[in-house]
Amino acid sequence: VDAPIVVNGAAGRMGRLVREALVEAGLGPVAGCTRRTRADGIAPTSTGGDLRATVAVGGVIVDFSHASATEDLVAAAEARGARLVIGTTGQSEAQLDRLRRAAERVAMVLSSNFSLGIQRILQLLPAMRVLLEDGFDIEGLEMHHRAKRDAPSGTARALLEALLGGSSTAPRVHGRVGAESRRQAGEIGVHSVRLGGVVGDHALLFASDHELVEIRHRALDRAAFVSGVVPAVRFVRDRAPGMYSMLDVMRDAAVPSP
Ligand SMILES: NC(=O)c1ccc[n+]([C@@H]2O[C@H](COP(=O)([O-])OP(=O)(O)OC[C@H]3O[C@@H](n4cnc5c(N)ncnc54)[C@H](OP(=O)(O)O)[C@@H]3O)[C@@H](O)[C@H]2O)c1
């Protein structure tokens, strides 16, 4: 019998839905971790020591909490030989480094966006890089609900990385204000809009003097993300240590087992 799954951030917008989806997919029992007592029956455990106590040896922790939980999450996975599926965004370079080091011993799927549509866009973006050579200006726009904590979104970062390549040093500009804020050659504007209940809306804009190209993705509801988490959990359960992406999960799911 597979060890139970623990959802960290279980009382949050994503955590609640993910927990339901995992149970519905027959991957239960699914425990939840949250830092506060809730009226909805989610155990008032916290990250750190308690997360470690909640996850079984060889279990899976699914994390939709906050980047500040990274150290506790990794420590719990290392201590219990657990696997990780991480949807949380906004990690600092140091926190990402910590995850990369942990991946030498821990199998983890790290994805800033579990939706199929964004993954397909990530696959096609390297082919759009040619527009840079054609001299097009490029800017990114992302919109999210008013409670989103990190900016720009992890997805906006991932889209730009897929488009430009990981080693790009093109300067980023976040919003413009002032009497002399003209666009500089080669800069990439990345603009974060926060309002209402917008689930997730990303656009990459490419323009020359005469043409505007838009690649746009709108998540219509959070089910767009949740549906990717179930295959990611199945994938990571029997994986060797390493850091895997949602594209790895999709490639694996597309190949029928022998
Ligand atoms: N990868 C994807 O496809 C995807 C999709 C949507 C969102 N996200 C990301 O997922 C994360 C959660 O989003 P959300 O909209 O669900 O946020 P949310 O509603 O604020 O939920 C986050 C939950 O995590 C808990 N939490 C916050 N800080 C924590 C910490 N330091 N340690 C442990 N738990 C902590 C909070 O619960 P308590 O206060 O009760 O502990 C909160 O309920 C964000 O980083 C977001 O960007 C990813």
Side-chain angles (χ1 to χ4, degrees):
V1 178
D2 286 319
I5 301 165
V6 179
V7 176
N8 193 39
R13 276 171 287 262
M14 283 299 296
R16 285 165 196 270
L17 297 174
V18 162
R19 202 163 169 230
E20 274 168 28
L22 293 170
V23 172
E24 250 169 56
L27 292 169
V30 183
C33 260
T34 176
R35 295 171 303 173
R36 281 174 277 155
T37 308
R38 300 273 177 176
D40 51 17
I42 294 170
T45 52
S46 64
T47 52
D50 289 341
L51 181 60
R52 203 175 301 190
T54 311
V55 66
V57 172
V60 179
I61 307 172
V62 180
D63 179 63
F64 281 88
S65 62
H66 187 257
S68 54
T70 302
E71 180 52 40
D72 291 341
L73 185 67
V74 166
E78 288 175 336
R80 309 294 279 164
R83 287 95 203 281
L84 296 172
V85 172
I86 306 175
T88 297
T89 62
Q91 291 89 354
S92 65
E93 221 15 77
Q95 287 164 336
L96 287 173
D97 256 1
R98 180 72 179 96
L99 291 175
R100 283 183 210 114
R101 272 185 281 123
E104 288 165 22
R105 293 173 303 283
V106 174
M108 61 176 82
V109 175
L110 175 68
S111 179
S112 58
N113 197 308
F114 283 92
S115 79
L116 186 60
I118 284 288
Q119 295 304 321
R120 293 300 182 207
I121 291 174
L122 288 171
Q123 283 179 306
L124 71 84
L125 281 177
M128 300 297 283
R129 201 173 297 163
V130 70
L131 284 175
L132 277 173
E133 291 148 34
D134 294 336
F136 279 58
D137 296 333
I138 295 174
E139 304 240 335
L141 179 67
E142 57 100 344
M143 281 194 258
H144 282 89
H145 55 89
R146 60 171 82 86
K148 181 165 177 62
R149 291 171 70 176
D150 56 316
S153 69
T155 302
R157 292 166 195 262
L159 290 170
L160 284 171
E161 191 176 317
L163 176 70
L164 304 171
S167 56
S168 161
T169 53
R172 308 286 158 94
V173 172
H174 303 284
R176 292 189 180 85
V177 65
E180 196 42 85
S181 325
R182 229 180 321 187
R183 187 177 211 285
Q184 303 298 307
E187 75 183 21
I188 312 278
V190 186
H191 310 293
S192 299
V193 177
R194 295 288 175 266
L195 74 178
V198 177
V199 171
D201 191 321
H202 290 87
L204 279 175
L205 310 172
F206 308 79
S208 69
D209 286 343
H210 311 290
E211 300 176 68
L212 173 66
V213 179
E214 274 187 62
I215 296 180
R216 184 161 206 153
H217 179 271
R218 290 178 189 189
L220 301 179
D221 62 44
R222 288 188 173 81
F225 312 126
V226 174
S227 57
V229 176
V230 171
V233 168
R234 289 205 173 102
F235 170 94
V236 86
R237 273 188 156 165
D238 50 23
R239 216 44 53 171
M243 185 178 280
Y244 301 95
S245 69
M246 199 49 205
L247 287 175
D248 295 321
V249 174
M250 286 160 59
R251 268 183 223 115
D252 186 71
V255 180
S257 350

